[in-house]
Amino acid sequence: MGAWALLLPLLMATAQAQVCSVNNTIFEVQENTNQSGPLADIYVPAGQQVTLGQSSTPYAFRIQGTQLFLNVTPDYEENTMLQAHLECRSGDTVVTQLRVLVFVLDINDNAPQFPFENKAKNISEDTKVNTIVIPETELEAQDLDKDDILFYALQEVTPGASNFFSLVGTNLPALRLDQPLDFYSWQKMTFQLLVRDTQEENAEPSHRAAATLDLHVWPADLRPPWFLPCGYSDPYVCINAEYHGAVPLGHKLPAPLVLRPGPVRAVDGDQGISQRILYSIMQGQDGTFAIDADSGNLTMTRSVPSPKTFTLLVKGEQADRARYSVTRVTIEARNAFGSLPYFPKSRYYGRVARGSGAGVEVKDATAPSLPLRIWAQDPDFPDINSAITYRITNNTNFRMDGETMLTTVLLADETVFYAEVEANNTVTTDTATTVVEIQVLEWEKPSPTEPPQTGGGSTPGHGEPSISRAEDRRFSVVDMAALGGVLGALLLLALIALLTLLHKHYGQSLKCCSGKAPDRQPLSFDNQAFVAPQEDNWAPAPRSSPGPTRAVAPEPPEPPSAAAARPASESPEVARDGGGPAAVRSILTKERRPEGGYKAVWFGEDIGAEADVVVLNTPASEAARAADSGSEVSSDDDAPGAGSTYV
């Protein structure tokens, strides 16, 4: 047994020496690696040759002498494993077959790719919030690197669009709606969908890709028809217009009725859909009026014999019968006395944007957001006469549509047009004319996403149609400043006139308010109780209400001889109170004083009562003049009687 143990290694070495062998049969190589040296060494016995068998990866290997080389740069995305099939031959006989395997290791060498460069998607505006509008399978990118994890981001191109849409997750590129859509505000939103194959932006190596998402908001049938002009409107609601007109008694008008604020007209509230509107009369019909189902024009089928007011309920319904609205049309039948129509203005001013095509309304130059209305008044119809029709007589670029003016051709150049508008009373055949000046200008048109124009109806009994709040902005700052200057000047003139009248009528009485006191005029008294200083005035004492009165510094009584010497006309008189004992009033004894002023004494009821003495001072110059000229004594109406008191 021991001998065999010694012979076995020898036999094996002898056997190996008769066959081919390699130092290693399995290798790992990173992709994109260029192997310049030999991959393996091959042992080939003498008398044998080694070649690559047919099962070898084509063009991947080569044998030089007894060494095996990689003939290509490995690419994991093309081949994850390369195989070399070695055959050792002795002549034509294959002695040994060997297989050498090269496993290619993947590295991050490929950028992710979206299956599209630009993707468009229509999304209905009534889509519910949190709905997945584009699934992940339509948006995810592909990366050939098997181990890469892709990270996504959504970047808005349209400002504010990120408020409406977002991705479900960083690694889940499904697009979700976050906020209700509005066709009138957001009809299209654009995003950049970004992807990279590393979590960190600055990682190396890192690869990126981008694609464009165009999201179109598709209008949904959310709104009923709107009768124009809306009394109020926003993107969601319209306060429907109500129409009114007037017709003369005993006449069937041949043309469609002219109504205020305009012809019966409705549009689909969903402008993006714009369903055709059909018209019908729901209520109030007695056979007098008919409505055209397509145009909404009201016509008369017979005359009205007596005064009457018709109230018609008109329905505007979408052609698909999905939605409808109702409005009121009021028509008054009244007597007409053949008054002539007339225009309140001799000239109207309108404007239209350059480049406008046919069917565009001419706007009011003073309120460019409103249509220009040209209407004639009839004294028999204070508000509107539906028998009056309008036409343009001398300009084919425009036509009348009721009281509004529309273009008939493309207006490509800036210019000014003049048109004569004729108002014709179809009952009396009387006419009136006016002139309209239309400027074709380069000016900003209203945004197409704005709701239908709002307008006002007419105010009954006030003539011209009323205008919506847009009219508040018809004057510029310069206009208002000029108006303020004119009003200020008028106010100043009014104040000057008022001051002139006040000075004329009250100038003397107002002199007291001036800075310089006026010169005193000599005092003149109508009360004849004031007497010359050398005379005393005797008068009965007053009888006041019960209670004593106080006298201050009584004067001595005048001698009887002085009283007797006074003329009869200057004797004091006593007032009596309806036959009572003595008049209850003060008797004023007045005496001029040499130093100026007067002395007044009041007496009580009885002789023993106290007296009040008041000195009325005057300037010395006046006192002197009074002393020189003397003063007359006034007498009371009543003669002295019993019970009177004298001093």
Side-chain angles (χ1 to χ4, degrees), residues 20-292:
C20 294
S21 63
V22 294
N23 58 347
N24 194 355
T25 59
I26 297 176
F27 297 91
E28 288 185 346
V29 178
Q30 282 191 344
E31 66 172 330
N32 304 328
T33 301
N34 187 10
Q35 292 281 345
S36 60
L39 182 65
D41 292 325
I42 308 171
Y43 171 75
V44 181
Q48 297 183 16
Q49 300 84 31
V50 61
T51 60
L52 291 173
Q54 294 182 351
S55 61
S56 298
T57 303
Y59 313 109
F61 299 93
R62 74 180 186 274
I63 297 176
Q64 292 181 355
T66 60
Q67 290 181 320
L68 180 65
F69 289 86
L70 268 176
N71 203 35
V72 295
T73 300
D75 187 352
Y76 177 87
E77 288 71 39
E78 292 183 2
N79 291 291
T80 60
M81 184 187 70
L82 304 175
Q83 176 180 273
H85 181 202
L86 303 179
E87 292 181 347
C88 289
R89 294 175 179 268
S90 177
D92 295 333
T93 304
V94 175
V95 178
T96 308
Q97 296 186 22
L98 299 173
R99 293 185 184 276
V100 177
L101 301 179
V102 178
F103 291 95
V104 180
L105 301 180
D106 185 28
I107 64 172
N108 184 13
D109 64 337
N110 290 283
Q113 291 184 342
F114 286 106
F116 56 87
E117 292 184 2
N118 188 292
K119 186 178 185 63
K121 185 74 173 181
N122 295 329
I123 304 173
S124 177
E125 68 170 327
D126 62 350
T127 302
K128 303 299 182 183
V129 173
N130 293 325
T131 298
I132 302 299
V133 295
I134 305 180
E136 173 191 6
T137 54
E138 296 185 23
L139 296 179
E140 63 182 353
Q142 302 297 325
D143 193 336
L144 298 178
D145 300 322
K146 69 172 184 177
D147 294 330
D148 283 356
I149 298 176
L150 302 182
F151 299 86
Y152 297 88
L154 192 66
Q155 186 178 69
E156 68 177 30
V157 176
T158 303
S162 58
N163 295 327
F164 293 90
F165 295 95
S166 66
L167 297 178
V168 173
T170 303
N171 306 115
L172 187 62
L175 190 66
R176 177 180 58 200
L177 177 65
D178 297 330
Q179 184 173 310
L181 297 173
D182 178 11
F183 171 77
Y184 296 98
S185 301
W186 302 87
Q187 296 184 8
K188 179 182 177 182
M189 286 175 267
T190 301
F191 293 91
Q192 282 285 314
L193 182 60
L194 308 176
V195 64
R196 68 174 182 268
D197 55 13
T198 58
Q199 185 172 6
E200 296 80 15
E201 291 189 17
N202 299 324
E204 291 293 342
S206 179
H207 304 90
R208 305 165 186 267
T212 301
L213 292 179
D214 289 324
L215 306 180
H216 300 271
V217 180
W218 204 250
D221 193 0
L222 303 175
R223 304 161 185 83
W226 292 355
F227 283 96
L228 303 181
C230 298
Y232 165 82
S233 69
D234 59 26
Y236 306 99
V237 68
C238 165
I239 298 179
N240 288 327
E242 294 190 355
Y243 306 89
H244 64 279
V247 298
L249 295 179
H251 296 278
K252 174 180 172 294
L253 301 183
L257 301 186
V258 176
L259 303 174
R260 187 75 51 75
V264 176
R265 178 172 172 258
V267 297
D268 189 347
D270 301 298
Q271 296 180 37
I273 300 176
S274 293
Q275 278 277 331
R276 186 167 62 95
I277 307 300
L278 302 176
Y279 303 89
S280 61
I281 298 177
M282 295 181 60
Q283 186 177 323
Q285 175 65 287
D286 66 349
T288 303
F289 300 96
I291 193 168
D292 186 275

Side-chain angles (χ1 to χ4, degrees), residues 195-512:
V195 64
R196 68 174 182 268
D197 55 13
T198 58
Q199 185 172 6
E200 296 80 15
E201 291 189 17
N202 299 324
E204 291 293 342
S206 179
H207 304 90
R208 305 165 186 267
T212 301
L213 292 179
D214 289 324
L215 306 180
H216 300 271
V217 180
W218 204 250
D221 193 0
L222 303 175
R223 304 161 185 83
W226 292 355
F227 283 96
L228 303 181
C230 298
Y232 165 82
S233 69
D234 59 26
Y236 306 99
V237 68
C238 165
I239 298 179
N240 288 327
E242 294 190 355
Y243 306 89
H244 64 279
V247 298
L249 295 179
H251 296 278
K252 174 180 172 294
L253 301 183
L257 301 186
V258 176
L259 303 174
R260 187 75 51 75
V264 176
R265 178 172 172 258
V267 297
D268 189 347
D270 301 298
Q271 296 180 37
I273 300 176
S274 293
Q275 278 277 331
R276 186 167 62 95
I277 307 300
L278 302 176
Y279 303 89
S280 61
I281 298 177
M282 295 181 60
Q283 186 177 323
Q285 175 65 287
D286 66 349
T288 303
F289 300 96
I291 193 168
D292 186 275
D294 295 316
S295 67
N297 286 335
L298 275 173
T299 55
M300 296 185 70
T301 59
R302 63 188 182 189
S303 62
V304 182
S306 59
K308 184 179 181 180
T309 298
F310 298 86
T311 301
L312 309 178
L313 294 184
V314 175
K315 179 171 75 171
E317 187 174 20
Q318 294 177 185
D320 61 1
R321 309 294 179 182
R323 298 179 183 275
Y324 71 89
S325 294
V326 177
T327 190
R328 181 184 290 110
V329 181
T330 304
I331 302 173
E332 181 185 4
R334 58 187 301 162
N335 286 314
F337 302 101
S339 300
L340 296 177
Y342 67 93
F343 284 99
K345 298 179 182 178
S346 61
R347 177 167 294 193
Y348 292 80
Y349 298 90
R351 64 189 301 185
V352 66
R354 186 177 70 85
S356 298
V360 176
E361 280 185 338
V362 175
K363 301 297 184 180
D364 191 333
T366 60
S369 62
L370 300 177
L372 176 65
R373 293 197 176 276
I374 306 163
W375 65 288
Q377 293 183 354
D378 186 337
D380 297 337
F381 295 82
D383 188 13
I384 183 174
N385 185 351
S386 296
I388 297 179
T389 60
Y390 302 87
R391 71 185 184 96
I392 295 176
T393 62
N394 63 346
N395 196 316
T396 59
N397 295 314
F398 305 92
R399 66 178 178 88
M400 294 300 297
D401 180 27
E403 298 174 342
T404 60
M405 180 180 289
L406 304 179
T407 60
T408 59
V409 296
L410 173 66
L411 303 177
D413 301 320
E414 294 190 12
T415 185
V416 178
F417 291 100
Y418 294 89
E420 182 184 68
V421 177
E422 179 185 82
N424 178 33
N425 189 323
T426 57
V427 174
T428 64
T429 70
D430 294 321
T431 62
T433 59
T434 189
V435 174
V436 182
E437 179 182 309
I438 308 112
Q439 289 185 321
V440 181
L441 300 172
E442 189 74 40
W443 58 296
E444 183 178 356
K445 297 180 182 178
S447 170
T449 61
E450 291 180 357
Q453 174 175 321
T454 61
S458 61
T459 305
H462 288 73
E464 297 203 18
S466 65
I467 301 175
S468 71
R469 292 169 298 185
E471 185 182 15
D472 296 341
R473 299 186 297 273
R474 67 168 58 185
F475 297 108
S476 66
V477 176
V478 176
D479 295 333
M480 299 306 294
L483 179 60
V486 173
L487 293 177
L490 292 176
L491 179 61
L492 179 60
L493 292 175
L495 290 175
I496 293 174
L498 179 61
L499 292 175
T500 302
L501 290 174
L502 289 174
H503 183 270
K504 180 178 180 181
H505 292 282
Y506 303 103
Q508 294 297 327
S509 60
L510 293 175
K511 286 183 179 179
C512 63

Side-chain angles (χ1 to χ4, degrees), residues 532-544:
Q534 68 274 10
E535 299 176 349
D536 290 335
N537 183 19
W538 295 88
R543 292 187 178 271
S544 60

